[in-house]
Amino acid sequence: MDGVRSPIPRFRGRSRRCLVGALTGLLLILSSPPAVSEPAGGVPERGSAYMGIGVLAHDGDTGTRPPAAARASQTEGVDVSSHQGDVDWQTLWDSGTKWAYTKATEGTYYTNPYFTQQYDGSYGIGMVRGAYHFATPDTTGGAAQADWFVDHGGGWSQDGKTLPGALDIEWNPYGDACYGKSQSGMVGWIRDFLDRYKARTGRDAVIYTATNWWIQCTGDHTGFGTTNPLWIARYASTVGPLPAGWSSYTMWQYTSSGMTVGDHDRFNGSQDTLRDFASAEHQAVVQGSSDSR
């Protein structure tokens, strides 16, 4: 006997090299992790959108922030979604943040699993709070999404601490920037949402958007400025040009890299004005000092 025999027959020359190559390839396949198919263009998962998701990609960030003099006459706020998880509201309150908006819903298929901690937590610490809906006009109609929003946290109560619901209408993170709609079709969708929200709550919803998106996807429509407060998104030292129809803004998302949570905002008025806005029986568009042009 000349020892333990190899269970693999001995091959010479080319046949042996082929066998070694085949075994090596098999080992590489078995040891490698399975390929993960990624959506084209890094499209995020449905439901994961948040307020301002397209602002950096489309408008960028100038790296400058509002001067101290402008901040002194305005009231600091934040907006949050499931990306922030459980929020440290005490730290935000201690740092001067006095109002907050929480993502409640998206389309007619998503509700924020952290909504209770975020929405009730901000209220409990003393903030004036509100909820927002991320619009997906390519999935269902505006009225249906307004109903979904109101039924899942987007209502309003006249307690002086609840802000009217906000419609987040901006670049589509899942596909075509304007959700496959014509400019007139987009205006009609927005109107359907706003009309249903007003009928359900008695308040006119806030419109959150960016000027460049509004021009691109609504044709710079002028018809909502007299009824719906504007929440403008622009990461710079001023809000820049406003969408057509608005001469002033009510809120301004000025950064996605603030303290404690990234998205920080300014209310265009004092804390007393903010509480008045929250408790108003009828809609009043805040008219403040304008640095929009």
Side-chain angles (χ1 to χ4, degrees), residues 40 115 200:
F115 181 76
R200 290 285 307 271

Side-chain angles (χ1 to χ4, degrees), residues 39 52 112 138 180 248 268:
N112 176 7
D138 57 336
S248 184
N268 195 12

